[in-house]
Amino acid sequence: MLNSSDVYTISPELPAMFDGMKLAAVATVLYVIVRCLNLKSPTAPPDITYQDTALNRFLLKSCPQLTKEYIPPLLWGKSGHLQTALYGKLGRVSSPHPSGVRKYLPMQDGATATFDLFEPVGDHRTGDDITMVICPGIGNHSEKHYIRTFVDYAQKDGYRCAVLNHLGALPNIELTSPRMFTYGCTWEFASMVGYIKRTYLQTQLIVVGFSLGGNIVCKFLGENITNQERVLCSVSVCQGYSALRAQETFLQWDQFRRFYNFLMADNMKKIILSHRYHLFGGSSVETIDADLGRLFTATSLMQIDDNIMRKFHGHSSLKEYYEKESCVHYIHNIKVPLLLVNSADDPLVHNSLLAIPRTLAAKMSNVIFSLTLHGGHLGFFEGAVLFPQPLTWMDKVIVGYANAICQWEKQKPPCQSAHLSESSCTAKKA
């Protein structure tokens, strides 16, 4: 049995030991937080790849967001996962509600494309009639928070905005044919652009695409040179450029990409199942059961693309579908000024894919590639410590770049055009 002196000599050591364990636990938690939130990562201006031309020098000078330091919210903004999650789940803080008119466009195959048209609030700074034709991300439409915020901002700067609603994405609009949007089908976007050109004979176009929408607009412009008529410039944000190259990276757990793949596949399942009657109604019972069975068991976008999506356009294989629908095979045909924006911490776009826009910008004088350290997938939030601003760096860059292009068109030298390189201009003078 311990006497009183033994108790007093042992007990002081126990609190010291527990304090040490608490300190170690706190240190471990802080280390995990710092690593997960990437708090030690520096802030920096975007990494810009471009050719040194008069137009590009003017654009970089006139659009300061491309050369100034991008500073995300201090506490969580350096985490690409949190930037992506905040965009994907919470949308924009205090999102505005711009008022637009929905348009319905019958397609040759019986489908009905829809888009929302938003008139400008006030005149454009150049006095010209300019329309932004906008293609949202996968399964998105004009009612998404990030689209509403961007449209409201662009309207106030004097731009008319036309926003495509991806075929099948709006829950209250039924399909009128056994087909919905795919990774690179440009038919609905082309129909919207055609309507704008026919209705507003004097308008010029700014083409904008977000994520999957970036692939669609770049493919649309590169498919046929006539698609670039009356187009002043184009902006693509956070696209992956090549679905074929991306499919392997989407099955990896690096940056939890496989988990994001599962979430997006689950969302695609819901969209497809909400239109099951129109998509599968004309098939035999056996075909319907087989297609739905494969859909229910799919855990990745690739499985859904292989079993459902590629069949809408008669592709014989998943490889053919990704080859034909990726803009990487068309983007080099774009002659108008093109701004490509990506984030280095985008958990959906593997870093290996960024060699495509970097190489393109190094070879083509009309292309600028901007790569930020932070921003996630379509996040690019700005703010002080915790709460982000409703307007993002991405919103400001797109409108700033568009304004710079419009200003260049107004004050460019007589020989120069946004469509001509300096060498072309020199040759023309000679």
Side-chain angles (χ1 to χ4, degrees):
M1 186 172 68
L2 296 175
N3 56 38
S4 59
S5 62
D6 291 328
V7 173
Y8 284 115
T9 57
I10 294 175
S11 58
E13 297 177 0
L14 295 178
M17 180 180 68
F18 287 129
D19 287 343
M21 293 176 61
K22 290 178 181 178
L23 185 60
V26 170
T28 301
V29 170
L30 290 176
Y31 174 78
V32 171
I33 291 175
V34 169
R35 287 296 301 272
C36 291
L37 297 182
N38 209 18
L39 294 178
K40 294 184 69 176
S41 175
T43 56
D47 180 19
I48 308 293
T49 305
Y50 67 100
Q51 287 192 13
D52 187 20
T53 64
L55 172 58
N56 287 340
R57 289 194 297 269
F58 178 84
L59 293 175
L60 294 177
K61 180 180 178 181
S62 303
C63 183
Q65 289 84 6
L66 287 173
T67 54
K68 289 186 177 180
E69 185 179 22
Y70 163 55
I71 304 177
L74 179 62
L75 186 60
W76 52 266
K78 295 179 181 179
S79 167
H81 298 293
L82 291 179
Q83 287 257 21
T84 302
L86 187 61
Y87 143 73
K89 293 301 180 183
L90 301 182
R92 295 292 188 260
V93 180
S94 302
S95 176
H97 291 78
S99 178
V101 178
R102 184 154 295 164
K103 302 290 184 178
Y104 297 80
L105 303 174
M107 309 288 290
Q108 289 185 350
D109 67 341
T112 303
T114 70
F115 72 94
D116 284 24
L117 187 62
F118 304 86
E119 291 297 333
V121 180
D123 296 331
H124 190 268
R125 62 187 64 198
T126 63
D128 293 332
D129 184 307
I130 303 176
T131 304
M132 285 193 175
V133 283
I134 302 165
C135 193
I138 183 171
N140 290 175
H141 43 74
S142 62
E143 297 175 8
K144 290 292 183 177
H145 293 292
Y146 77 102
I147 294 293
R148 293 197 325 223
T149 301
F150 175 72
V151 166
D152 180 73
Y153 181 50
Q155 276 184 298
K156 291 175 180 176
D157 235 45
Y159 292 97
R160 178 186 299 108
C161 294
V163 182
L164 181 69
N165 300 311
H166 284 300
L167 198 63
L170 281 169
N172 58 335
I173 302 294
E174 292 188 356
L175 296 177
T176 57
S177 75
R179 179 175 68 83
M180 58 181 286
F181 77 92
T182 59
Y183 178 67
C185 179
T186 59
W187 296 352
E188 291 79 53
F189 189 77
S191 181
M192 180 181 74
V193 170
Y195 176 92
I196 296 298
K197 287 183 175 180
R198 293 191 304 271
T199 305
Y200 304 95
L201 298 179
Q202 302 303 315
T203 197
Q204 295 176 297
L205 305 180
I206 308 288
V207 179
V208 180
F210 298 98
S211 191
L212 171 142
N215 178 73
I216 289 177
V217 302
C218 287
K219 182 170 178 281
F220 165 75
L221 291 174
E223 282 176 332
N224 195 316
I225 193 65
T226 60
N227 292 341
Q228 299 175 44
E229 293 175 356
R230 293 166 60 182
V231 173
L232 291 177
C233 67
S234 179
V235 183
S236 163
V237 184
C238 287
Q239 71 150 308
Y241 306 98
S242 172
L244 188 62
R245 298 188 199 180
Q247 64 173 333
E248 291 183 3
T249 70
F250 248 135
L251 294 175
Q252 299 169 0
W253 279 102
D254 176 50
Q255 293 295 314
F256 298 100
R257 200 169 290 107
R258 185 68 177 84
F259 178 67
Y260 287 105
N261 190 353
F262 174 81
L263 293 180
M264 289 190 291
D266 188 60
N267 186 56
M268 281 299 299
K269 283 184 187 180
K270 294 176 182 177
I271 295 176
I272 294 171
L273 290 173
S274 69
H275 298 290
R276 71 171 76 186
Y277 173 78
H278 297 283
L279 293 176
F280 307 112
S283 304
S284 65
V285 175
E286 293 79 7
T287 301
I288 295 174
D289 289 342
D291 286 340
L292 289 179
R294 285 189 289 265
L295 179 64
F296 283 125
T297 58
T299 60
S300 71
L301 284 176
M302 283 68 74
Q303 290 173 318
I304 295 176
D305 288 341
D306 193 19
N307 294 318
I308 306 293
M309 309 302 284
R310 69 174 176 83
K311 298 178 182 179
F312 293 146
H313 296 287
H315 295 296
S316 60
S317 66
L318 185 64
K319 181 178 184 296
E320 179 185 283
Y321 170 68
Y322 284 156
E323 283 279 5
K324 295 289 181 65
E325 301 229 341
S326 293
C327 75
V328 68
H329 305 296
Y330 304 88
I331 197 169
H332 59 277
N333 296 325
I334 299 176
K335 305 305 179 185
V336 299
L338 173 62
L339 175 63
L340 304 173
V341 179
N342 285 94
S343 169
D345 66 354
D346 186 337
L348 304 186
V349 179
H350 193 271
N351 285 336
S352 62
L353 297 170
L354 302 181
I356 297 173
R358 187 177 288 110
T359 301
L360 192 73
K363 292 182 177 180
M364 297 183 64
S365 61
N366 62 307
V367 180
I368 294 177
F369 174 51
S370 173
L371 180 65
T372 61
L373 278 178
H374 310 110
H377 190 76
L378 296 180
F380 298 104
F381 290 100
E382 293 182 310
V385 177
L386 183 59
F387 297 104
Q389 301 169 2
L391 203 62
T392 70
W393 178 89
M394 175 181 70
D395 301 322
K396 297 173 186 176
V397 163
I398 298 173
V399 172
Y401 177 81
N403 287 340
I405 288 288
C406 295
Q407 187 180 353
W408 169 266
E409 289 294 317
K410 277 294 186 183
Q411 65 182 50
K412 67 188 176 188
C415 162
Q416 292 182 348
S417 166
H419 300 255
L420 295 177
S421 65
E422 285 187 334
S423 60
S424 301
C425 184
T426 303
K428 189 173 181 180
K429 282 182 177 180

